Every structure is written in structure tokens, then in C-alpha cells.
Amino acid sequence: MLKEHNKVSNSLNFYGNTTPSELVKTYGSTVYVYNEKVLRERCRELKNLVSYKNFAVNYSVKANSNPEILKIACEEGLYADAMSPGEIYVNLKAGFDPKKILYISNNVSKEEMQYAIDHGVLTSVDSISQLEQYGELNPGGRVCIRFNPGVGAGHHEKVVTGGKKTKFGVDPHLVPEVKDILNKYDLKLAGINQHIGSLFMDGSKYVEGVQSVLSIAENFDDLEFIDLGGGFGIPYNKLSGQPRLDLKELGQQLDEVINNWVSKYGKEIQFKIEPGRYIVGECGILLGTVHTVKYNYDNKYIGTDLGFNVLIRPAMYESHHDIEVYRESDKPSTQYEFVTVVGNICESGDIIAKERELPEIFEGDILGVLDAGAYGYCMASNYNNRLRPAEVLIQEDGSHRLIRRRDTLEDLVRNFV
Ligand SMILES: *Cc1c(COP(=O)(O)O)cnc(C)c1O
């Protein structure tokens, strides 16, 4: 195995007792590989983010909902967020206590709300009309409200979820109307939440958002919790030396803001965060195979099976993922060169890395797409009638275990009537 192009995975002993080529031979290409040790480490880092005692980490299940990943997060003492009845269902199946699940709903039907109520899961609503709908369904019940603090943050327009130009949350100017509806249906406001966006690498915007939600919280005098949202970024450009989010500094800032607020409020209520990507992003590497190397005019293309049906982030958000190169033979790469790495889908936007400087790549090489644990498999599709990959867990003892089988051709026609 070529040693010099596996710096990140090698430093983590990511593949345990096995190798990328063995995994591809065993489970097919492409395949998502997750490392349990890295996953547990991230859970613990965030659980220890602040020294404030009444603190919980809600894992945002939409980032990766493989049941085995959820079980590990649950074992680590995390709570869970759900964005749909389906996510409530998988959370419950993975063993999360319904009291530890928060259903963060957005424009949902009565039936969807009723599903949460029937399963003892607290719902967060994010408009006046949905609060009214909730009141009709569950008078006298507990509810949570998502506010939009008017600030947003994120790596791409599509993932900024706070601020005046997004669909999410209740405008804080509507607090009087909120109170009227709470009274009308005798609802108990258990908590408020926000989520201003995804992938911040500098905590200052987050802390700014926290201050806004805390000032909104002052309007309500008997809250049980405040959920500050997710968005904790990971360094997708590790190979170019991008630093990690400074959790120590962020934790200290949060501690200060929380402690000040709590002493004014007079009650040590619970604070929650809702990270998805930070928990699972870096524990996943997507493996694919190089089938073609060619020039089109002046551009060198590396043709792989890593289509956007398998990992859509680069095509959808122009996201960067670092790439490692694995080779079974000892044939050396004699140079670094600029190449465009593409998939096998019939669209020219099917690009996983554009004009990227990589060591010379040959047909038969295996590529490892780093930091693919979040918004990877869960956004994969059968577009072009391609099969979604298997998912494999590298356990703490270094052994590997299949945690979702690869699609079969029969799966493609399973739902036809
Ligand atoms: C997506 C989402 C999260 C998680 O975002 P990350 O960037 O993965 O941390 C948290 N809360 C809500 C409401 C979300 O929609």
C-alpha cells in the first residue's frame, strides 16, 4: 500500500485491522466506512464543552441515522433531535428515551404532530399557525418554540437557517401573540430553541446567536431548557492545515454567557446544543474506485464510481472534501498534478473535486473521500438507478462489521406495484 497519500487515515489508524482495498473487495465499491473510536471521541468532546452542569448534547440525527451510529451516540449519553416522524421512529428504535428526543418540526401536518404526541416526544414548532395547530391537538400539553433570532451563519446560502431571509423560526416580535396562544390552549412552554446555520469555524457568530436567544428567553419565566442549536464546524481542509474549531475558547465564552444569564433568571435550567456534523462528519470516509484516467482537451479527468448519488455535497453545496489515494501495488506516483475527479452519473455537474492537486492517480486506485460521515449516506439516492453503498463500522478493537448492506438490483424495483 502506498504510504504517503494516507496521512489523515494513517494518523488515526482509521481502518483498524483492515485496509481500504480489503474493504472494497469485501463490501463492494463504493462503501462508507465509519470509525467508532473517532465517533466516541467527538461525542465526549461536546459533552464536555462547558463546565455548566445542566447541559445536554442533542445529536442531530439527520446528519447520519444509521442505527449502529445512533446506538453509540445513545450509549455515550447523547440526546437526539428529530426533524420528521421517520427520525423519531429510528431514534426510538435505537434506544433513545422519548424524553430525550426533541422533534424540531417545520411546516408539518396534524398527523405528523400527533405522531410525536402519541410517542411522548416533545415538539418544537416554528410558526404561530403551527403553535395554534399544536394547541388544538394537545391542549394543556408541553411545547417548545423555535425562534429566529435574526442572525444567521453558514458555509453556503442553503445551510444558513437563521436570519431575516430564511423560512425558519418565529420572529421574536411575535412574542405577545405566542403568549396569547399559549394561554388560549393552556400550553406549558418547556423550552425554546434556535439553529442559525451550519459549519461555523469561528465561535463568535454562534455566541452572538446565543445572546439573541437568551434575550428572547427573558420573556418567559418558567422555562425548563434552552436549546442553542448546532452548526459546529469541522475542518474539511485538513490536508492544507485548516485548524479545528477552538472548543476550549467557545466553551469558556458559552460558560460565561450561560452563567450570567442563569444568575439573572434565577434558575439553573438546562442548556442544550444540537450538533450533527461535528459528531459524525470526521468519523466517516467514503471509498471509491478509479476506473478511467483520461484527458478531455487540456483537462485531466479521474473517472470513478463516486457519483453524486453517493455523496451529493460537492455538487449541491460546492463543498470541499479532502481526498486520499490508496494503491495496492508499489507503483509510485512520480508527480503531483491538477485533476478533476468525477463520478459515473450522466450529468456534467457530477464532480467530486474540481482541478484538485493530487498525486498522480492510476486506474485501479482506491480513493478515500474524507469527512464524509455527515450528510453523506443519508443524502444518497438511487439516481441513474445506481445502488447505494454499504456502510461498515471499524470497531474499537480494529475489527470491521457491516452495519448496512449495499443495495441490490432487486431493491430498485421493490416498491413497484
Ligand atoms: C441540521 C440541523 C442541525 C445540525 O446541523 P449541523 O451543521 O450538522 O451541526 C441542528 N439543528 C437543526 C434544527 C438542524 O436543522
Side-chain angles (χ1 to χ4, degrees):
M1 171 88 53
L2 198 68
K3 287 283 181 277
E4 60 266 45
H5 308 308
N6 59 3
K7 222 166 75 187
V8 175
S9 57
N10 196 39
S11 71
L12 295 167
N13 188 24
F14 191 91
Y15 298 106
N17 305 336
T18 182
T19 63
S21 46
E22 210 173 279
L23 289 168
V24 162
K25 273 183 208 134
T26 312
Y27 301 109
S29 179
T30 54
V31 55
Y32 275 97
V33 187
Y34 305 112
N35 183 290
E36 179 173 354
K37 219 184 267 177
V38 176
L39 173 59
R40 288 188 186 272
E41 209 172 280
R42 294 294 176 264
C43 294
R44 290 169 197 172
E45 280 175 15
L46 287 191
K47 274 189 76 179
N48 295 320
L49 178 64
V50 292
S51 53
Y52 182 78
K53 285 285 172 287
N54 197 356
F55 180 71
V57 178
N58 279 16
Y59 169 53
S60 187
V61 169
K62 76 172 197 268
N64 186 321
S65 59
N66 186 291
E68 297 302 315
I69 301 277
L70 298 189
K71 276 181 200 155
I72 293 169
C74 187
E75 260 175 49
E76 288 293 331
L78 268 52
Y79 290 30
D81 278 349
M83 309 288 157
S84 65
E87 286 189 356
I88 294 175
Y89 178 76
V90 295
N91 285 343
L92 292 172
K93 272 196 104 120
F96 284 102
D97 179 345
K99 291 193 200 68
K100 291 186 175 175
I101 302 173
L102 178 63
Y103 176 31
I104 301 181
S105 69
N106 177 237
N107 308 328
V108 303
S109 68
K110 286 182 184 163
E111 291 73 20
E112 289 173 287
M113 269 185 193
Q114 192 62 48
Y115 183 87
I117 295 164
D118 291 345
H119 289 83
V121 170
L122 182 65
T123 297
S124 165
V125 297
D126 86 338
S127 66
I128 294 287
S129 75
Q130 294 255 296
L131 181 59
E132 184 96 35
Q133 175 176 304
Y134 187 87
E136 283 169 9
L137 292 174
N138 196 23
R142 292 163 76 245
V143 70
C144 175
I145 296 175
R146 176 174 181 171
F147 281 97
N148 182 336
V151 296
H155 65 92
H156 188 280
E157 199 184 332
K158 289 179 192 163
V159 301
V160 176
T161 51
K164 293 177 178 147
K165 291 189 175 161
T166 69
K167 68 170 178 170
F168 296 103
V170 173
D171 178 342
H173 292 107
L174 299 174
V175 164
E177 283 87 334
V178 164
K179 287 188 170 177
D180 287 347
I181 300 174
L182 292 172
N183 279 333
K184 178 174 165 192
Y185 294 101
D186 191 25
L187 293 170
K188 158 91 168 96
L189 185 65
I192 66 174
N193 68 302
Q194 71 168 11
H195 173 66
I196 63 170
S198 284
L199 220 176
F200 65 83
M201 293 307 292
D202 157 8
S204 60
K205 263 271 186 227
Y206 191 76
V207 175
E208 203 182 305
V210 168
Q211 274 158 340
S212 312
V213 80
L214 291 182
S215 63
I216 298 168
E218 284 163 16
N219 290 293
F220 304 101
D221 52 18
D222 195 21
L223 295 174
E224 295 162 20
F225 71 86
I226 299 173
D227 182 338
L228 306 174
F232 299 78
I234 59 171
Y236 281 106
N237 291 273
K238 293 181 176 59
L239 291 177
S240 340
Q242 185 186 16
R244 304 190 63 75
L245 177 62
D246 190 340
L247 284 185
K248 199 167 161 221
E249 190 190 343
L250 178 58
Q252 281 167 354
Q253 288 175 358
L254 286 176
D255 258 328
E256 194 181 320
V257 174
I258 291 174
N259 283 316
N260 279 338
W261 189 86
V262 162
S263 63
K264 274 193 292 178
Y265 196 67
K267 197 170 138 200
E268 294 203 344
I269 64 168
Q270 186 175 48
F271 281 83
K272 303 184 191 193
I273 55 172
E274 46 190 51
R277 182 191 320 270
Y278 193 91
I279 299 286
V280 282
E282 291 168 294
C283 82
I285 298 182
L286 170 62
L287 299 179
T289 306
V290 176
H291 293 304
T292 312
V293 176
K294 76 171 191 183
Y295 279 93
N296 251 359
Y297 303 95
D298 290 335
N299 300 310
K300 190 167 186 180
Y301 285 94
I302 307 298
T304 74
D305 50 9
L306 294 158
F308 72 68
N309 64 304
V310 181
L311 179 68
I312 203 172
R313 298 191 69 255
M316 186 157 170
Y317 312 114
E318 290 164 43
S319 303
H320 173 99
H321 283 267
D322 280 336
I323 291 177
E324 292 190 334
V325 182
Y326 314 119
R327 186 172 303 147
E328 241 182 320
S329 77
D330 51 12
K331 186 173 176 181
S333 300
T334 56
Q335 56 181 343
Y336 272 77
E337 54 187 4
F338 284 90
V339 294
T340 294
V341 184
V342 296
N344 49 8
I345 297 296
C346 287
E347 293 203 24
S348 45
D350 184 27
I351 296 172
I352 198 129
K354 195 169 184 176
E355 288 156 28
R356 180 79 57 85
E357 191 171 20
L358 287 170
E360 190 177 8
I361 290 171
F362 303 109
E363 291 172 7
D365 284 353
I366 292 173
L367 302 186
V369 183
L370 302 188
D371 306 314
Y375 309 109
Y377 187 95
C378 58
M379 294 178 99
S381 76
N382 292 120
Y383 186 46
N384 273 204
N385 278 293
R386 292 242 161 236
L387 306 181
R388 287 172 307 168
E391 296 183 289
V392 173
L393 184 69
I394 308 294
Q395 303 179 111
E396 282 185 296
D397 65 1
S399 63
H400 53 96
R401 176 161 70 92
L402 182 68
I403 57 172
R404 172 159 15 208
R405 68 165 174 79
R406 182 178 168 75
D407 281 344
T408 61
L409 290 174
E410 297 78 64
D411 289 330
L412 295 175
V413 296
R414 188 174 300 280
N415 292 337
F416 291 132
V417 289

